[in-house]
């Protein structure tokens, strides 16, 4: 029997992309930590409610309240904030009161509401990592609570290593996938596998810069190759399929 399988490394977290769009999220507290959490949540299109006395809001959180970006409950947290009819999907606490935070965490456990208690890993159902963001691209670095500052440094290093325009190229890949699904809408396992395989070959063959340079006409030309299973190069699409291209020869080779 083969034993060539991945080695198990315990002690990690299951890193997921949590789809929180349109869901209710409660943030308890209004200081600097809460402000950072709110940015992450709004970037994920969550519906955010901040529970904190008005005089406890820092400048950034107060701005988001005043701009209507988040709802505001002007008082301390109460159990009624997690009543079932409010459909709270998760709660984040960022307050300077460990006892109150623990009480909120225990209440969340009884109600089975996922919670993140700032700076108390043992009372967190999930963690926030250091995230590099470039359009649709998100890369999270997590140290599982051991070294947040190091996570931030590593995240910056990763961001600097990525080719310029990576986010834009990923955006183009998404557009290409949608065009492909229009001409090949099959939903069987075989259809899905074929689409994924062809797209994988395109992504392996084309560079970030080439994806950045393609337009809608290029994409339309490219997806026409799908049924044949062929993956043309960028040059074949841009030059070989355009009737408006003027070919110039420098005399370095002759006609056979």
């Amino acid at each position: 029997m083969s034993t060539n399988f991945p080695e198990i490394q315990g002690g990690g977290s299951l890193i997921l992309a949590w789809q929180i769009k349109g869901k209710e999220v409660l943030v308890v507290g209004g200081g600097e930590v809460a402000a950072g959490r709110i940015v992450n949540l709004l970037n994920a299109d969550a519906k955010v409610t901040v529970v904190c006395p008005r005089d406890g809001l820092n400048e950034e959180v107060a701005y988001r309240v005043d701009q209507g970006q988040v709802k505001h409950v002007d008082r301390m947290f109460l159990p009624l904030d997690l009543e079932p009819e409010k459909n709270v999907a998760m709660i984040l606490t960022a307050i300077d009161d460990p006892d109150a935070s623990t009480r909120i965490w225990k209440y969340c456990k009884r109600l089975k509401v996922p919670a993140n208690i700032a700076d108390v890993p043992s009372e967190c159902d999930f963690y926030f990592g250091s995230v590099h963001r470039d359009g649709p691209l998100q890369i999270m670095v997590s140290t599982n609570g051991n070294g947040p500052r190091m996570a931030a440094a590593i995240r910056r290093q990763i961001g600097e290593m990525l080719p310029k325009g990576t986010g834009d190229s990923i955006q183009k890949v998404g557009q290409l996938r949608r065009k492909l699904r229009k001409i090949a809408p099959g939903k069987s396992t075989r259809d899905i596998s074929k689409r994924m395989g062809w797209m994988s070959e395109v992504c392996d063959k084309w560079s970030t810069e080439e994806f950045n340079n393609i337009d809608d006409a290029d994409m339309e030309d490219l997806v026409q190759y799908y049924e044949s299973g062929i993956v043309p190069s960028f040059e074949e699409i841009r030059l070989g399929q355009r009737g408006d291209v003027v070919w110039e020869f420098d005399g370095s080779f002759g006609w056979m």
Side-chain angles (χ1 to χ4, degrees), residues 29-31 50-59 61-62 65 72-76:
V50 176
V51 180
C52 180
R54 180 78 193 195
D55 60 9
L57 302 181
N58 76 358
E59 184 178 2
V61 178
V65 170
H72 179 221
V73 178
D74 187 5
R75 58 166 169 74
M76 304 293 286

PDB file of all heavy atoms in Angstrom, residues 29-31 50-59 61-62 65 72-76:
ATOM      1  N   GLY A  29     -18.183  47.136  20.451  1.00  0.00           N
ATOM      2  CA  GLY A  29     -17.026  47.990  20.659  1.00  0.00           C
ATOM      3  C   GLY A  29     -16.878  48.962  19.504  1.00  0.00           C
ATOM      4  O   GLY A  29     -17.395  48.731  18.408  1.00  0.00           O
ATOM      5  N   GLY A  30     -16.146  50.065  19.762  1.00  0.00           N
ATOM      6  CA  GLY A  30     -16.015  51.079  18.720  1.00  0.00           C
ATOM      7  C   GLY A  30     -14.641  51.697  18.637  1.00  0.00           C
ATOM      8  O   GLY A  30     -14.498  52.816  18.132  1.00  0.00           O
ATOM      9  N   GLY A  31     -13.612  50.972  19.094  1.00  0.00           N
ATOM     10  CA  GLY A  31     -12.259  51.500  19.066  1.00  0.00           C
ATOM     11  C   GLY A  31     -11.488  51.100  17.820  1.00  0.00           C
ATOM     12  O   GLY A  31     -12.070  50.729  16.789  1.00  0.00           O
ATOM     13  N   VAL A  50     -23.015  48.037  14.892  1.00  0.00           N
ATOM     14  CA  VAL A  50     -22.051  48.313  15.954  1.00  0.00           C
ATOM     15  C   VAL A  50     -22.814  48.613  17.239  1.00  0.00           C
ATOM     16  O   VAL A  50     -23.675  49.499  17.265  1.00  0.00           O
ATOM     17  CB  VAL A  50     -21.156  49.516  15.593  1.00  0.00           C
ATOM     18  CG1 VAL A  50     -20.212  49.846  16.749  1.00  0.00           C
ATOM     19  CG2 VAL A  50     -20.356  49.216  14.328  1.00  0.00           C
ATOM     20  N   VAL A  51     -22.493  47.874  18.291  1.00  0.00           N
ATOM     21  CA  VAL A  51     -23.099  48.109  19.606  1.00  0.00           C
ATOM     22  C   VAL A  51     -22.047  48.742  20.503  1.00  0.00           C
ATOM     23  O   VAL A  51     -21.070  48.086  20.881  1.00  0.00           O
ATOM     24  CB  VAL A  51     -23.616  46.795  20.232  1.00  0.00           C
ATOM     25  CG1 VAL A  51     -24.239  47.086  21.600  1.00  0.00           C
ATOM     26  CG2 VAL A  51     -24.631  46.127  19.324  1.00  0.00           C
ATOM     27  N   CYS A  52     -22.237  50.015  20.816  1.00  0.00           N
ATOM     28  CA  CYS A  52     -21.263  50.748  21.629  1.00  0.00           C
ATOM     29  C   CYS A  52     -21.830  52.125  21.953  1.00  0.00           C
ATOM     30  O   CYS A  52     -22.445  52.753  21.082  1.00  0.00           O
ATOM     31  CB  CYS A  52     -19.949  50.895  20.854  1.00  0.00           C
ATOM     32  SG  CYS A  52     -18.644  51.782  21.733  1.00  0.00           S
ATOM     33  N   PRO A  53     -21.638  52.614  23.189  1.00  0.00           N
ATOM     34  CA  PRO A  53     -22.056  53.995  23.485  1.00  0.00           C
ATOM     35  C   PRO A  53     -21.382  54.972  22.527  1.00  0.00           C
ATOM     36  O   PRO A  53     -20.224  54.778  22.133  1.00  0.00           O
ATOM     37  CB  PRO A  53     -21.573  54.207  24.925  1.00  0.00           C
ATOM     38  CG  PRO A  53     -21.531  52.830  25.508  1.00  0.00           C
ATOM     39  CD  PRO A  53     -21.098  51.936  24.380  1.00  0.00           C
ATOM     40  N   ARG A  54     -22.089  56.007  22.146  1.00  0.00           N
ATOM     41  CA  ARG A  54     -21.576  56.963  21.166  1.00  0.00           C
ATOM     42  C   ARG A  54     -20.218  57.525  21.575  1.00  0.00           C
ATOM     43  O   ARG A  54     -19.332  57.701  20.728  1.00  0.00           O
ATOM     44  CB  ARG A  54     -22.583  58.106  20.993  1.00  0.00           C
ATOM     45  CG  ARG A  54     -22.150  59.169  19.977  1.00  0.00           C
ATOM     46  CD  ARG A  54     -22.374  58.710  18.571  1.00  0.00           C
ATOM     47  NE  ARG A  54     -21.686  59.573  17.602  1.00  0.00           N
ATOM     48  CZ  ARG A  54     -21.935  59.569  16.298  1.00  0.00           C
ATOM     49  NH1 ARG A  54     -22.847  58.762  15.803  1.00  0.00           N
ATOM     50  NH2 ARG A  54     -21.270  60.362  15.491  1.00  0.00           N
ATOM     51  N   ASP A  55     -20.029  57.788  22.856  1.00  0.00           N
ATOM     52  CA  ASP A  55     -18.762  58.377  23.281  1.00  0.00           C
ATOM     53  C   ASP A  55     -17.610  57.376  23.252  1.00  0.00           C
ATOM     54  O   ASP A  55     -16.456  57.744  23.494  1.00  0.00           O
ATOM     55  CB  ASP A  55     -18.888  59.013  24.668  1.00  0.00           C
ATOM     56  CG  ASP A  55     -19.303  58.009  25.744  1.00  0.00           C
ATOM     57  OD1 ASP A  55     -19.330  56.784  25.459  1.00  0.00           O
ATOM     58  OD2 ASP A  55     -19.598  58.445  26.867  1.00  0.00           O
ATOM     59  N   GLY A  56     -17.907  56.111  22.934  1.00  0.00           N
ATOM     60  CA  GLY A  56     -16.861  55.109  22.836  1.00  0.00           C
ATOM     61  C   GLY A  56     -16.409  54.847  21.408  1.00  0.00           C
ATOM     62  O   GLY A  56     -15.509  54.029  21.180  1.00  0.00           O
ATOM     63  N   LEU A  57     -17.025  55.554  20.452  1.00  0.00           N
ATOM     64  CA  LEU A  57     -16.651  55.370  19.047  1.00  0.00           C
ATOM     65  C   LEU A  57     -15.422  56.211  18.716  1.00  0.00           C
ATOM     66  O   LEU A  57     -15.380  57.398  19.035  1.00  0.00           O
ATOM     67  CB  LEU A  57     -17.802  55.794  18.126  1.00  0.00           C
ATOM     68  CG  LEU A  57     -19.157  55.093  18.313  1.00  0.00           C
ATOM     69  CD1 LEU A  57     -20.150  55.642  17.292  1.00  0.00           C
ATOM     70  CD2 LEU A  57     -19.024  53.583  18.190  1.00  0.00           C
ATOM     71  N   ASN A  58     -14.447  55.602  18.066  1.00  0.00           N
ATOM     72  CA  ASN A  58     -13.319  56.406  17.613  1.00  0.00           C
ATOM     73  C   ASN A  58     -13.703  57.133  16.330  1.00  0.00           C
ATOM     74  O   ASN A  58     -14.809  56.963  15.800  1.00  0.00           O
ATOM     75  CB  ASN A  58     -12.042  55.570  17.462  1.00  0.00           C
ATOM     76  CG  ASN A  58     -12.029  54.697  16.214  1.00  0.00           C
ATOM     77  OD1 ASN A  58     -12.984  54.657  15.434  1.00  0.00           O
ATOM     78  ND2 ASN A  58     -10.929  53.989  16.003  1.00  0.00           N
ATOM     79  N   GLU A  59     -12.806  57.942  15.807  1.00  0.00           N
ATOM     80  CA  GLU A  59     -13.137  58.802  14.671  1.00  0.00           C
ATOM     81  C   GLU A  59     -13.586  58.002  13.444  1.00  0.00           C
ATOM     82  O   GLU A  59     -14.551  58.372  12.769  1.00  0.00           O
ATOM     83  CB  GLU A  59     -11.922  59.663  14.310  1.00  0.00           C
ATOM     84  CG  GLU A  59     -12.181  60.665  13.196  1.00  0.00           C
ATOM     85  CD  GLU A  59     -10.973  61.531  12.890  1.00  0.00           C
ATOM     86  OE1 GLU A  59      -9.912  61.322  13.523  1.00  0.00           O
ATOM     87  OE2 GLU A  59     -11.083  62.424  12.032  1.00  0.00           O
ATOM     88  N   VAL A  61     -14.836  54.811  13.249  1.00  0.00           N
ATOM     89  CA  VAL A  61     -16.115  54.125  13.432  1.00  0.00           C
ATOM     90  C   VAL A  61     -17.264  55.135  13.421  1.00  0.00           C
ATOM     91  O   VAL A  61     -18.321  54.891  12.821  1.00  0.00           O
ATOM     92  CB  VAL A  61     -16.121  53.303  14.739  1.00  0.00           C
ATOM     93  CG1 VAL A  61     -17.475  52.633  14.931  1.00  0.00           C
ATOM     94  CG2 VAL A  61     -15.012  52.253  14.722  1.00  0.00           C
ATOM     95  N   ALA A  62     -17.055  56.293  14.063  1.00  0.00           N
ATOM     96  CA  ALA A  62     -18.076  57.339  14.059  1.00  0.00           C
ATOM     97  C   ALA A  62     -18.368  57.792  12.635  1.00  0.00           C
ATOM     98  O   ALA A  62     -19.528  58.047  12.268  1.00  0.00           O
ATOM     99  CB  ALA A  62     -17.619  58.519  14.912  1.00  0.00           C
ATOM    100  N   VAL A  65     -20.543  55.242  10.927  1.00  0.00           N
ATOM    101  CA  VAL A  65     -21.912  55.361  11.433  1.00  0.00           C
ATOM    102  C   VAL A  65     -22.606  56.545  10.778  1.00  0.00           C
ATOM    103  O   VAL A  65     -23.736  56.442  10.274  1.00  0.00           O
ATOM    104  CB  VAL A  65     -21.910  55.508  12.972  1.00  0.00           C
ATOM    105  CG1 VAL A  65     -23.310  55.882  13.470  1.00  0.00           C
ATOM    106  CG2 VAL A  65     -21.433  54.217  13.634  1.00  0.00           C
ATOM    107  N   HIS A  72     -25.951  51.585  14.106  1.00  0.00           N
ATOM    108  CA  HIS A  72     -25.363  51.851  15.413  1.00  0.00           C
ATOM    109  C   HIS A  72     -26.412  51.710  16.510  1.00  0.00           C
ATOM    110  O   HIS A  72     -27.506  52.276  16.415  1.00  0.00           O
ATOM    111  CB  HIS A  72     -24.769  53.266  15.451  1.00  0.00           C
ATOM    112  CG  HIS A  72     -24.165  53.609  16.775  1.00  0.00           C
ATOM    113  ND1 HIS A  72     -24.318  54.849  17.365  1.00  0.00           N
ATOM    114  CD2 HIS A  72     -23.411  52.871  17.642  1.00  0.00           C
ATOM    115  CE1 HIS A  72     -23.686  54.854  18.515  1.00  0.00           C
ATOM    116  NE2 HIS A  72     -23.125  53.677  18.717  1.00  0.00           N
ATOM    117  N   VAL A  73     -26.049  50.954  17.554  1.00  0.00           N
ATOM    118  CA  VAL A  73     -26.875  50.839  18.749  1.00  0.00           C
ATOM    119  C   VAL A  73     -26.116  51.542  19.868  1.00  0.00           C
ATOM    120  O   VAL A  73     -25.040  51.075  20.289  1.00  0.00           O
ATOM    121  CB  VAL A  73     -27.137  49.362  19.112  1.00  0.00           C
ATOM    122  CG1 VAL A  73     -27.963  49.278  20.387  1.00  0.00           C
ATOM    123  CG2 VAL A  73     -27.852  48.655  17.970  1.00  0.00           C
ATOM    124  N   ASP A  74     -26.634  52.654  20.337  1.00  0.00           N
ATOM    125  CA  ASP A  74     -25.932  53.545  21.264  1.00  0.00           C
ATOM    126  C   ASP A  74     -26.109  53.096  22.720  1.00  0.00           C
ATOM    127  O   ASP A  74     -26.806  53.734  23.516  1.00  0.00           O
ATOM    128  CB  ASP A  74     -26.445  54.978  21.068  1.00  0.00           C
ATOM    129  CG  ASP A  74     -25.648  55.999  21.872  1.00  0.00           C
ATOM    130  OD1 ASP A  74     -24.647  55.615  22.492  1.00  0.00           O
ATOM    131  OD2 ASP A  74     -26.049  57.184  21.879  1.00  0.00           O
ATOM    132  N   ARG A  75     -25.463  51.995  23.063  1.00  0.00           N
ATOM    133  CA  ARG A  75     -25.484  51.467  24.436  1.00  0.00           C
ATOM    134  C   ARG A  75     -24.527  50.290  24.517  1.00  0.00           C
ATOM    135  O   ARG A  75     -23.926  49.903  23.525  1.00  0.00           O
ATOM    136  CB  ARG A  75     -26.899  51.032  24.835  1.00  0.00           C
ATOM    137  CG  ARG A  75     -27.501  49.985  23.914  1.00  0.00           C
ATOM    138  CD  ARG A  75     -28.716  49.339  24.521  1.00  0.00           C
ATOM    139  NE  ARG A  75     -29.460  48.530  23.565  1.00  0.00           N
ATOM    140  CZ  ARG A  75     -29.085  47.347  23.107  1.00  0.00           C
ATOM    141  NH1 ARG A  75     -27.939  46.814  23.509  1.00  0.00           N
ATOM    142  NH2 ARG A  75     -29.826  46.677  22.235  1.00  0.00           N
ATOM    143  N   MET A  76     -24.422  49.716  25.717  1.00  0.00           N
ATOM    144  CA  MET A  76     -23.633  48.510  25.904  1.00  0.00           C
ATOM    145  C   MET A  76     -24.389  47.305  25.351  1.00  0.00           C
ATOM    146  O   MET A  76     -25.610  47.354  25.157  1.00  0.00           O
ATOM    147  CB  MET A  76     -23.334  48.296  27.399  1.00  0.00           C
ATOM    148  CG  MET A  76     -22.654  49.462  28.084  1.00  0.00           C
ATOM    149  SD  MET A  76     -20.977  49.751  27.480  1.00  0.00           S
ATOM    150  CE  MET A  76     -20.127  48.380  28.259  1.00  0.00           C
TER     151      MET A  76
END
